[in-house]
């Protein structure tokens, strides 16, 4: 196997474990289901993970694997009326927010947890200036006056590296490039200095060069604000660039969980191996880009055994029959595969 | 996740046939169902009028003038002692014919012009669409009134007046769909294979417009019925003694305070039928939503 | 921005010309001679010829049209056959009444339609929603002349609260405005609802919710302005339908407005008066369309900055 961890350039701080008291977010046994006329879709099926202060957790998987729904569940924004959190605890800085009312959740959203979305082109309201949209959160949660909020927004614009910040306050979203809009979104998310930032594919819609800038910006700001980040992505390259810990999801379940070095150097699950192999960076000259064969299973008609079995290269007969459990195979390294049971 | 849910639903849309889908959707949509039932009753009344009308709708009997609704005359009688229920039943024939024929004519005109404008583009498109703009800029009732003024009041002229007013909306919708469709691969492929233009229009573009046309048709019918009633009310539509609902309201209005049922009851008939078509149109629109957005 | 306005104004000129030409041709292909129609049968032929020449009816129809446009541009719409007064004066006398009626109806339709649409979204799929949407559909399905009669019967005759008809005190305006605005209110309510629901599915609404805004605040601060854009575009259509509708409303409530003039002109076959009143209404409709477009333009920054 290739030395994937060669991609990770700052070996100094990442990958080391952190003490218990620094846990910022703990998700325990989260289940989010959709109750449609066609049946129940287990979009998020018993997910648990922990993110500590100052660390970035990458949640990785193909689109449709439930990673975005995990994020929306934490935010309390699962789309009603079909979607519903049916079980689990979401503990933010010692407080269980899964049981809060909508009104209480409104005080947490944008304040203690905030979110950056995938589509910077459509995530800003076209009829208001970006300045007004960023200010809104500060006025709402920190009870600032308009002038104070404007001052603070200007400060944030500078912090996220928006050129001519003063002028940009009065710009409308359509006047900004995708990269700038995403910086505006980040400014909006961080203006109240949240404990947790959830970034859902924040760079997917951007050019490759801008992607790297945005990722570095997020990493830099995180160090400054000392918050925790959950970074949702399908791109192992992004994980290599910024994440400390990694959770790999497949069809609503976690299939592998470890720190970033373990994942890149010692990955165990065939799906993780497939994801790594599919990274463009490892394409040899003239070689075709690798693709994991097959498609995500229909969540309405899940296979009986392992959910990855139909696409797995190392499947054996038993995989079709028995569903594997998530087992700890090394220090903090979990995997859900029958190859590693016991 | 959302995208996956959509993908699942989408794939299942494709598996089911168009009409099975429609029926499925109507089963859940109660108002559309009620609308359909009312319409079946309306159409049966029009077709079976001579058999179900209790009296002769044209039979003048001054001794029975202004009878209140009673067991004998379920909806009362008018100033000539004619039975209002019978007149409403016969009137449904006019409303049905007015609802269907001019709407159909205007849809045919609008579809042809819309297809041609969208497919050929350039000058053809410009001329047709400016014409549509002109018709749409015009208060439709006034245009219909002018047509009736010029041609004189008759049923045929009402057809002409309503068709002249209503084609433009259809043309616009069909044109905008054609503009999208003609860029699709199957049209390109047909062109490369040397398929004749009119065959492309008829075989490839037109069928894709059918769902929208179906909705437009359903919603066009109450519009036409309303136009006829209004023209007749203003005295430039159907002429007495024919039993048109609009005309019945118009003649009854002179006796509004003395015998309110004469004017009010035929209006209720218009309301019910228009409402039923609107329910049906809304239901169709909801049911065909995935096809309309293609 | 000024460029847009100028362009929009210029683009409505061909429509105006097209509409006037259409009316003109339609009115002048009437079988039978208008002069013979308006005079009684025993007038000597010389008089008829003289009157025809006086009214330029002996010239080709296209020349007649150009004359008509030329005169109209100078505010001269000819003289009514029957009333023997200048059409322009008759129309200008009637116009304030029609305008007052249309504006009242418009205000009524917005005041009722917009809140009903919003409330239907706030209480989606509740009894309130069904009630409002049912009433809206009723409003669209009700013939204007009939609802006018119904109100007259209930509020003027049975309850005696409002005058049956006429136009001499403000109370007279209530029923006509409600009748005329009812259908439009229904359309606005339905459109506000569907547009608002569509906007609520946008990504930026999710962003607003992620910011911690409560549902009501999201609705009012972030969704409403966007959802108004399509509602404003139907305003254009509504100006037209109000003016058409006012023909009937004015007839039912005996309001001396443009619509009533048009109906009378048809009944008395008074060609110049009919021509004038229809042309006048059409100009109003086109101006209304223009105003709606400009309003749309002011509301949407994406267009403004282009």
């Amino acid at each position: 196997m290739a030395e994937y961890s060669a991609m990770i350039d700052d070996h100094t701080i990442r990958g080391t474990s952190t003490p218990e008291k620094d846990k910022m977010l703990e998700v325990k046994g989260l289940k989010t289901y959709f109750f449609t006329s066609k049946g129940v879709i287990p979009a998020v099926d018993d997910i648990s993970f922990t993110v500590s202060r100052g660390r970035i957790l990458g949640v990785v998987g193909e689109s449709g694997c439930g990673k975005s729904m995990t994020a929306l569940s934490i935010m309390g924004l699962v789309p009603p009326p079909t979607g519903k959190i049916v079980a689990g605890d979401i503990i933010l800085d010692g407080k269980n927010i899964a049981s809060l009312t909508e009104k209480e959740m409104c005080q947490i959203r944008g304040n203690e947890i905030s979110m950056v979305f995938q589509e910077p082109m459509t995530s800003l309201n076209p009829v208001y200036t970006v300045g007004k949209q960023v200010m809104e959160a500060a006025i709402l949660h920190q009870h600032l006056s308009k002038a104070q909020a404007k001052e603070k927004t200007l400060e944030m614009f500078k912090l996220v590296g928006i050129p001519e910040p003063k002028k940009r306050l009065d710009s409308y979203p359509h006047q900004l490039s995708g990269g700038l809009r995403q910086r505006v979104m980040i400014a909006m998310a961080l203006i109240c200095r949240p404990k947790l930032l959830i970034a859902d594919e924040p760079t997917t819609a951007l050019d490759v060069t801008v992607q790297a800038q945005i990722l570095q910006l997020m990493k830099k700001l995180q160090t400054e604000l000392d918050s925790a980040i959950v970074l949702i992505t399908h791109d192992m390259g992004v994980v290599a660039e910024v994440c400390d810990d990694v959770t790999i999801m497949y069809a609503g379940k976690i299939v592998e969980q470890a720190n970033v070095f373990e994942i890149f150097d010692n990955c165990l699950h065939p799906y993780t191996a497939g994801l790594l192999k599919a990274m463009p960076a490892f394409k040899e000259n003239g070689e075709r880009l690798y693709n994991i064969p097959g498609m995500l299973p229909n969540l309405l008609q899940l296979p009986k055994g392992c959910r990855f079995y139909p696409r797995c290269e190392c499947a054996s007969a038993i995989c079709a029959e028995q569903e594997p459990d998530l087992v700890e195979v090394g220090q903090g390294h979990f995997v859900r595969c029958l190859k590693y049971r016991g | 996740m959302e995208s996956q849910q959509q993908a699942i639903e989408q794939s299942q849309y494709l598996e089911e046939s168009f009409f099975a889908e429609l029926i499925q959707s109507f089963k859940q949509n109660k108002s559309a169902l009620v609308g359909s039932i009312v319409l079946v009753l309306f159409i049966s009344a029009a077709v079976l009028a001579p058999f179900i009308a209790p009296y002769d709708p044209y039979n003048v009997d001054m001794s029975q003038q202004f009878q209140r609704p009673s067991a004998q005359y379920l909806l009362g009688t008018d100033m000539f002692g004619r039975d209002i229920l019978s007149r409403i039943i016969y009137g449904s024939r006019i409303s049905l014919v007015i609802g269907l024929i001019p709407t159909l004519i205007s849809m045919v005109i609008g579809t042809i012009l819309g297809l041609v404008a969208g497919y050929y583009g350039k000058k053809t498109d410009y001329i047709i669409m400016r014409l549509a703009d002109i018709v749409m800029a015009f208060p439709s009732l006034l245009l219909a009134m002018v047509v009736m003024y010029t041609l004189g009041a008759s049923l045929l002229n009402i057809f002409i007046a309503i068709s002249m007013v209503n084609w433009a909306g259809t043309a616009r919708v069909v044109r905008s769909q054609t503009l999208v469709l003609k860029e699709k691969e199957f049209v390109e492929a047909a062109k490369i294979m040397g398929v004749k233009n009119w065959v492309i229009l008829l075989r490839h573009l037109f069928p894709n417009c059918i769902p929208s046309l179906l909705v437009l048709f359903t919603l066009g019918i109450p519009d036409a019925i309303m136009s006829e009633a209004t023209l007749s009310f203003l005295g430039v539509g159907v002429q007495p003694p024919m039993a048109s609902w609009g005309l019945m309201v118009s003649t009854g209005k002179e006796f509004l305070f003395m015998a309110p049922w004469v004017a009010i009851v035929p209006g209720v008939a218009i309301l019910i039928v228009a409402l039923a078509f609107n329910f049906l149109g809304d239901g169709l629109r909801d049911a065909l939503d995935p096809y309309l957005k293609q | 921005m000024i460029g847009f306005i100028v362009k929009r104004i210029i683009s409505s000129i061909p429509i105006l010309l097209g509409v006037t030409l259409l009316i003109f041709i339609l009115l002048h292909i009437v079988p039978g001679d208008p002069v013979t129609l308006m005079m009684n049968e025993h007038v000597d032929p010389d008089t008829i010829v003289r009157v025809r020449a006086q009214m330029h009816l002996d010239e080709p129809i296209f020349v007649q049209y150009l004359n008509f446009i030329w005169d109209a541009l100078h505010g001269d719409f000819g003289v009514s056959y029957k009333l023997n007064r200048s059409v322009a004066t008759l129309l200008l006398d009637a116009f304030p009444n029609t305008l007052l009626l249309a504006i009242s109806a418009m205000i009524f339709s917005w005041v009722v339609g917009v809140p009903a649409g919003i409330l239907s979204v706030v209480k989606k799929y509740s009894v309130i929603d069904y009630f409002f949407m049912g009433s809206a559909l009723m409003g669209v399905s009700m013939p204007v002349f009939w609802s006018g009669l119904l109100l007259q019967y209930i509020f003027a005759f049975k309850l005696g609260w409002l005058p049956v008809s006429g136009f001499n005190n403000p109370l007279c305006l209530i029923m006509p405005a409600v009748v005329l605005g009812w259908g439009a209110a229904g359309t606005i309510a339905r459109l506000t609802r569907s547009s608002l629901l569509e906007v609520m599915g946008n990504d930026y609404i999710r962003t607003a919710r992620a910011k911690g805004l409560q549902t009501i605040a999201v609705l009012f601060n972030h969704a409403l302005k966007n959802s108004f854009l399509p509602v404003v575009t139907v305003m254009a259509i509504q100006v037209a339908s109000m003016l058409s509708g006012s023909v009937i409303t004015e007839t039912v409530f005996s309001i001396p407005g443009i619509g009533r003039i048009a109906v009378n002109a048809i009944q008395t076959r008074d060609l110049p008066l009919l021509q004038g009143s229809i042309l006048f209404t059409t100009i109003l409709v086109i101006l209304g369309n223009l105003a709606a477009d400009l309003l749309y333009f002011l509301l949407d920054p994406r267009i403004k900055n282009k």
Side-chain angles (χ1 to χ4, degrees):
Chain A
M1 180 179 271
E3 272 298 306
Y4 291 118
S5 68
M7 284 188 73
I8 303 170
D9 39 46
D10 51 343
H11 281 256
T12 45
I13 41 168
R14 285 204 272 165
T16 50
S17 61
T18 46
E20 188 77 0
K21 67 172 169 55
D22 276 342
K23 271 184 189 172
M24 191 60 99
L25 174 75
E26 196 176 1
V27 174
K28 281 197 226 162
L30 178 69
K31 290 184 181 178
T32 304
Y33 289 1
F34 281 80
F35 298 87
T36 69
S37 54
K38 311 251 156 68
V40 178
I41 302 174
V44 178
D45 203 3
D46 201 3
I47 296 286
S48 303
F49 58 78
T50 306
V51 202
S52 303
R53 194 183 301 277
R55 289 175 76 87
I56 301 181
L57 170 74
V59 177
V60 189
E62 290 161 285
S63 50
C65 73
K67 55 194 197 308
S68 292
M69 218 29 80
T70 306
L72 290 180
S73 303
I74 297 170
M75 292 292 288
L77 289 177
V78 178
T82 49
K84 222 175 177 173
I85 297 180
V86 290
D89 294 325
I90 299 164
I91 298 157
L92 177 74
D93 208 11
K95 183 167 64 180
N96 191 349
I97 58 169
S99 54
L100 294 184
T101 63
E102 169 64 19
K103 211 169 174 181
E104 290 165 323
M105 241 356 248
C106 280
Q107 285 161 9
I108 306 248
R109 269 184 227 133
N111 191 16
E112 292 179 43
I113 313 177
S114 50
M115 188 155 173
V116 174
F117 294 97
Q118 181 174 1
E119 307 85 3
M121 308 316 264
T122 52
S123 290
L124 288 163
N125 194 330
V127 302
Y128 296 117
T129 62
V130 292
K132 187 177 151 99
Q133 293 183 58
V134 175
M135 276 158 63
E136 205 176 7
I139 295 173
L140 184 71
H141 296 296
Q142 305 190 323
H143 311 290
L144 300 181
S145 72
K146 253 193 164 163
Q148 288 169 316
K150 197 166 187 172
E151 196 52 44
K152 187 145 189 193
T153 304
L154 192 62
E155 217 172 274
M156 287 309 296
F157 274 20
K158 283 179 194 154
L159 192 65
V160 298
I162 293 176
E164 301 181 88
K166 205 156 197 164
K167 200 178 130 203
R168 289 296 167 214
L169 282 178
D170 297 320
S171 295
Y172 285 95
H174 69 270
Q175 295 166 321
L176 306 181
S177 67
L180 274 186
R181 286 190 218 187
Q182 202 58 301
R183 282 174 199 265
V184 169
M185 288 296 292
I186 292 173
M188 189 192 291
L190 295 181
I191 193 161
C192 296
R193 305 200 165 241
K195 294 173 178 166
L196 174 71
L197 173 69
I198 303 174
D200 186 358
E201 307 256 8
T203 58
T204 306
L206 304 174
D207 289 344
V208 184
T209 46
V210 184
Q211 272 188 16
Q213 289 170 11
I214 295 284
L215 287 175
Q216 287 313 318
L217 171 71
M218 283 178 45
K219 196 155 176 65
K220 183 190 106 190
L221 293 178
Q222 182 208 21
T223 330
E224 280 174 36
L225 303 176
D226 199 29
S227 53
I229 294 183
V230 173
L231 178 69
I232 290 165
T233 181
H234 65 277
D235 183 351
M236 289 302 272
V238 169
V239 173
E241 197 148 344
V242 290
C243 292
D244 303 298
D245 301 293
V246 185
T247 288
I248 311 278
M249 280 182 76
Y250 185 80
K253 284 202 179 280
I254 292 175
V255 293
E256 188 161 9
Q257 203 166 38
N259 72 51
V260 68
F261 294 106
E262 279 286 307
I263 288 287
F264 276 78
D265 285 345
N266 188 23
C267 83
L268 299 174
H269 200 282
Y271 181 61
T272 315
L275 286 176
L276 287 170
K277 222 169 138 189
M279 280 167 69
F282 289 95
K283 190 181 68 161
E284 306 276 317
N285 276 348
E287 195 185 327
R288 282 191 62 168
L289 202 55
Y290 176 78
N291 239 329
I292 303 174
M295 273 164 51
L296 271 179
N298 183 340
L299 288 176
L300 283 168
Q301 296 145 12
L302 283 169
K304 194 175 148 208
C306 171
R307 292 183 182 186
F308 188 58
Y309 155 72
R311 301 170 70 182
C312 188
E313 285 175 347
C314 16
S316 54
I318 188 153
C319 299
E321 295 301 320
Q322 191 185 340
E323 198 181 344
D325 292 322
L326 194 65
V327 289
E328 184 160 16
V329 286
Q331 170 78 60
H333 191 155
F334 295 84
V335 66
R336 186 190 298 276
C337 180
L338 291 172
K339 280 200 317 190
Y340 304 100
R341 67 197 149 141
Chain B
M1 180 55 233
E2 253 170 304
S3 61
Q4 172 162 7
Q5 198 187 337
Q6 277 164 4
I8 293 168
E9 285 175 0
Q10 205 99 53
S11 68
Q12 278 160 352
Y13 271 130
L14 297 174
E15 284 160 21
E16 288 166 15
S17 80
F18 182 85
F19 286 102
E21 174 82 18
L22 209 63
I23 290 166
Q24 188 57 37
S25 167
F26 265 45
K27 273 187 192 155
Q28 287 162 4
N29 189 337
K30 288 199 190 72
S31 55
L33 200 65
V34 172
S36 319
I37 294 170
V38 171
L39 290 178
V40 170
L41 291 177
F42 165 62
I43 294 167
S44 336
V47 174
L48 303 173
F51 304 106
I52 56 173
Y55 296 92
D56 177 354
Y58 301 110
N59 184 31
V60 175
D61 180 357
M62 296 311 270
S63 68
Q64 297 296 311
Q65 203 188 15
F66 296 131
Q67 295 291 317
R68 288 181 166 279
S70 65
Q72 195 187 355
Y73 299 105
L74 282 176
L75 298 175
T77 62
D78 65 6
M79 54 282 178
F80 298 119
R82 296 174 298 197
D83 178 46
I84 291 180
L85 177 61
S86 305
R87 288 182 68 75
I88 285 185
I89 291 172
Y90 272 86
S92 68
R93 297 185 142 189
I94 291 185
S95 291
L96 185 66
V97 169
I98 291 282
L100 291 179
I101 295 178
T103 311
L104 210 58
I105 297 173
S106 62
M107 301 277 299
V108 170
I109 298 174
T111 306
I112 292 172
L113 290 180
L115 281 172
V116 167
Y119 185 70
Y120 290 101
K122 296 189 187 128
K123 270 191 185 148
T124 323
D125 182 31
Y126 185 83
I127 293 170
I128 293 175
M129 287 339 280
R130 286 304 78 75
L131 209 61
D133 281 348
I134 289 170
V135 173
M136 304 253 310
F138 212 92
S140 57
L141 179 65
L142 288 186
L143 182 56
M145 280 167 64
V146 170
V147 175
M148 297 306 290
Y149 167 85
T150 303
L151 300 179
S154 81
L155 207 54
L156 180 72
N157 294 342
I158 296 179
F159 290 176
I160 296 174
I162 295 176
S163 311
M164 267 191 69
V165 173
N166 288 354
W167 66 270
T170 311
R172 273 199 184 172
V173 172
V174 171
R175 171 183 174 265
S176 66
Q177 287 203 327
T178 310
L179 282 180
V180 177
L181 286 168
K182 79 169 177 183
E183 304 295 330
K184 293 258 165 84
E185 293 83 356
F186 63 88
V187 176
E188 289 296 326
K191 268 192 206 163
I192 292 165
M193 281 159 61
V195 179
K196 288 196 183 74
N197 280 335
W198 66 269
V199 177
I200 294 180
L201 282 176
L202 209 66
R203 285 269 179 79
H204 297 292
L205 299 178
F206 173 66
N208 282 294
C209 297
I210 290 177
S212 331
L213 288 173
L214 215 57
V215 174
L216 282 175
F217 183 63
T218 319
L219 294 175
I221 292 172
D223 257 15
I225 292 178
M226 209 74 95
S227 302
E228 178 274 327
T230 308
L231 290 172
S232 299
F233 176 82
L234 291 173
V236 290
V238 173
Q239 297 299 307
M242 274 180 92
S244 142
W245 294 347
L247 189 61
M248 288 167 75
V249 177
S250 174
T251 45
K253 75 171 187 288
E254 310 300 329
F255 315 101
L256 181 64
F257 299 149
M258 196 183 109
W261 61 89
V262 181
I264 300 298
V265 169
V268 175
I270 301 175
L271 174 64
I272 290 174
V273 169
L275 207 54
F277 272 107
N278 279 325
F279 274 147
L280 195 64
D282 277 9
L284 267 180
R285 197 195 334 241
D286 291 348
L288 297 177
D289 199 41
Y291 297 95
L292 300 180
K293 281 193 178 147
Q294 262 173 18
Chain C
M1 173 164 178
I2 291 168
F4 173 85
I5 297 173
V6 171
K7 223 170 120 187
R8 186 62 189 76
I9 292 174
I10 289 173
S11 75
S12 56
I13 291 175
I15 294 186
L16 193 61
L17 286 176
V19 172
T20 50
L21 185 62
L22 185 69
I23 309 167
F24 201 82
I25 292 173
L26 279 176
L27 288 174
H28 286 257
I29 56 171
V30 179
D33 178 50
V35 180
T36 332
L37 269 173
M38 66 186 249
M39 312 233 163
N40 63 42
E41 283 151 38
H42 307 293
V43 181
D44 69 299
D46 287 349
T47 321
I48 292 185
V49 171
R50 192 166 45 78
V51 174
R52 283 181 63 88
Q54 204 181 347
M55 295 172 66
H56 306 289
L57 288 176
D58 48 354
E59 289 173 70
I61 191 162
F62 195 64
V63 176
Q64 285 187 44
Y65 173 68
L66 288 181
N67 279 333
F68 168 69
I69 289 294
W70 182 249
D71 290 343
L73 283 175
H74 292 81
D76 177 7
F77 289 87
V79 177
S80 157
Y81 292 169
K82 300 282 157 162
L83 304 170
N84 231 337
R85 285 179 61 195
S86 142
V87 170
T89 324
L90 284 167
L91 291 177
L92 282 179
D93 284 350
F95 176 58
N97 299 336
T98 298
L99 190 67
L100 186 62
L101 176 61
I103 288 176
S104 324
M106 195 81 106
I107 292 172
F108 170 80
S109 66
W110 281 80
V111 166
V112 171
V114 172
I118 295 173
L119 222 62
S120 291
V121 173
V122 175
K123 301 273 172 205
K124 195 167 61 161
Y125 305 131
S126 72
V127 179
I128 296 177
D129 184 18
Y130 289 124
F131 172 75
F132 278 131
M133 288 308 113
S135 320
L137 209 54
M138 287 266 277
V140 179
S141 311
M142 236 189 291
V144 172
F145 55 87
W146 178 77
S147 49
L149 294 178
L150 195 66
L151 290 195
Q152 279 182 337
Y153 182 73
I154 297 171
F155 292 99
F157 181 68
K158 278 278 165 191
L159 300 171
W161 291 351
L162 296 166
V164 177
S165 59
F167 211 61
N168 43 22
N169 79 53
L171 280 181
C172 291
L173 200 59
I174 295 177
M175 281 200 289
V178 170
V179 166
L180 187 52
W182 195 252
T187 312
I188 290 173
R190 280 157 62 90
L191 203 66
T192 304
R193 179 179 185 273
S194 65
S195 168
L196 205 51
L197 282 179
E198 197 178 324
V199 168
M200 287 300 274
N202 273 322
D203 287 341
Y204 56 79
I205 294 300
R206 195 180 51 185
T207 308
R209 292 178 59 86
K211 231 182 259 182
L213 292 171
Q214 294 190 17
T215 310
I216 291 288
V218 171
L219 199 71
F220 280 92
N221 301 349
H222 283 269
L224 212 53
K225 195 169 168 189
N226 292 286
S227 68
F228 266 148
L229 293 174
V231 183
V232 166
T233 42
V234 300
M235 261 182 78
I237 303 159
Q238 300 213 324
V239 175
S241 68
M242 289 270 172
L243 287 162
S244 303
S246 81
V247 173
I248 309 158
T249 315
E250 287 171 16
T251 310
V252 172
F253 290 98
S254 315
I255 294 167
I258 308 260
R260 202 144 149 255
I261 288 186
V263 173
N264 284 338
I266 285 186
Q267 278 158 0
T268 57
R269 301 199 76 80
D270 190 337
L271 185 64
L273 192 55
L274 180 59
Q275 193 169 272
S277 54
I278 287 179
L279 184 75
F280 195 81
T281 315
T282 311
I283 293 172
L284 289 181
V285 170
I286 289 172
L287 288 179
N289 283 337
L290 194 65
D293 262 21
L294 296 183
L295 196 61
Y296 190 92
F297 176 77
L298 288 176
L299 272 175
D300 192 346
R302 278 164 298 188
I303 305 180
K304 199 161 35 180
N305 284 294
K306 259 178 199 161

